[in-house]
Amino acid sequence: MPSLDTARRRLRLSDAHISVLGVLVEEDRLPDELSQARDELREAGLLDGDDKIVADLYPLVSTLMAPRVIVRVEVTGPQGVTSNGAVIGDEFIFVHEAWPGSTESEYVPAEPETLVWSLARMVDLHRDFTDEADGSEVIASSMGLFDKVVERMEAGEFEEPEAVAEATGAPLRLSETLAQLNCMWRMTVVWQGAQGKRDPGGLSVAALSVWDCGLEGYWLRELPAEPVGDGQVDANSELRVRRTSAKELWRLITALLPDGAQLATAQAQTS
């Protein structure tokens, strides 16, 4: 069920609830499949008797309806995939985090100074001995061999990296590293602007993909290079990952976000 914590301005909402709020703002007809989500918003007191959105939702709804920057954080782990991220508007910033197996996410207001910290927390970026990592160590293979190793690891062979490497033909270091895999995460930032790579919709986009491999540390995927679009990667695509540290990943997360000049350009283009 959706809910609001007025003391901390936190909200719990599902994608369906967000869709209902968008339809109501646009004053469109609500599809039948969203009727239950609307009823849940009514029951939670987030819609009044006339289906008007309560004032406490204004900061979030206004930000979602006119975002300047969208950050998507996809975390893939043993419990599946969770979608998290942040939405930056003209007046407000909200970060949102999902819980494995739940349809709802928690939306929390953030300040510009805490945004990188919030994004780092979403991927459990932490300081440990990997900060001493040899940043020159590289593993090169192919996406096809990567898939074969992961398949065997998921089948319970993670304690036998040498056997997995021999059976698949993958590099031993690839098997050893993936045997310690905690999760993989991908962070993508999208905004309107002239700098950076462009997606099919003409938006600027920047991204990075990382493996969190526990005792084997953090690994930055350099190939296939992010951002990766649908259909751009197959079994023959080259795979290259480089050992990295939490300190470098903090810097890379910071660099993903568009600077003030880029946002100023974006604002001028939409004015």
Side-chain angles (χ1 to χ4, degrees):
M1 284 291 293
S3 57
L4 167 67
D5 176 0
T6 55
R8 294 178 59 189
R9 296 180 295 158
R10 298 184 300 169
L11 293 124
R12 285 180 57 86
L13 298 167
S14 69
D15 288 346
H17 298 139
I18 296 294
S19 296
V20 170
L21 296 175
V23 170
L24 294 177
V25 169
E26 296 293 336
E27 299 183 344
D28 291 332
R29 179 181 177 278
L30 190 75
D32 293 339
E33 59 267 22
L34 293 178
S35 296
Q36 180 178 344
R38 177 198 57 197
D39 294 342
E40 291 173 349
L41 289 168
R42 288 173 173 171
E43 185 177 346
L46 300 178
L47 297 178
D48 65 17
D50 297 322
D51 280 348
K52 299 296 183 181
I53 299 171
V54 298
D56 286 325
L57 264 65
Y58 166 77
L60 175 61
V61 172
S62 65
T63 303
L64 293 174
M65 294 302 292
R68 294 271 296 279
V69 181
I70 297 175
V71 184
R72 301 188 183 99
V73 182
E74 182 181 83
V75 180
T76 303
Q79 295 174 285
V81 180
T82 59
S83 296
N84 316 282
V87 184
I88 303 171
D90 287 326
E91 297 182 74
F92 307 102
I93 298 175
F94 278 86
V95 297
H96 58 93
E97 295 187 56
W99 190 268
S102 174
T103 61
E104 294 175 351
S105 296
E106 182 181 71
Y107 289 80
V108 182
E111 298 297 326
E113 297 81 5
T114 65
L115 180 56
V116 173
W117 182 88
S118 296
L119 296 175
R121 185 173 57 83
M122 288 178 195
V123 296
D124 190 29
L125 190 66
H126 53 274
R127 294 181 297 175
D128 55 17
F129 64 89
T130 61
D131 285 339
E132 308 294 330
D134 177 7
S136 64
E137 184 179 7
V138 172
I139 300 174
S141 185
S142 69
M143 291 304 296
L145 290 178
F146 164 81
D147 288 339
K148 290 180 180 180
V149 171
V150 170
E151 183 177 330
R152 291 200 172 240
M153 296 296 178
E154 291 177 342
E157 298 181 41
F158 55 88
E159 295 181 351
E160 305 171 355
E162 292 185 2
V164 170
E166 182 177 352
T168 60
L172 177 58
R173 280 299 286 148
L174 180 62
S175 295
E176 290 174 339
T177 299
L178 290 176
Q180 301 295 327
L181 182 67
N182 289 329
C183 69
M184 299 180 183
W185 53 267
R186 181 186 187 192
M187 189 175 296
T188 305
V189 181
V190 179
W191 71 97
Q192 291 184 338
Q195 300 182 34
K197 294 186 178 180
R198 311 298 289 273
D199 72 0
L203 297 174
S204 294
V205 56
L208 71 149
S209 181
V210 174
W211 301 353
D212 176 352
C213 294
L215 295 175
E216 287 287 353
Y218 290 111
W219 294 79
L220 176 67
R221 199 192 73 203
E222 297 181 327
L223 291 176
E226 293 286 356
V228 174
D230 293 338
Q232 292 182 346
V233 175
D234 59 25
N236 296 318
S237 298
E238 182 180 356
L239 170 67
R240 187 177 73 216
V241 293
R242 176 175 58 82
R243 186 80 177 265
T244 187
S245 67
K247 181 178 181 180
E248 181 183 8
L249 289 176
W250 179 278
R251 180 183 62 79
L252 291 173
I253 291 171
T254 303
L256 279 182
L257 298 169
D259 60 26
Q262 290 170 301
L263 290 178
T265 301
Q267 189 175 38
Q269 291 176 341
T270 57
S271 297

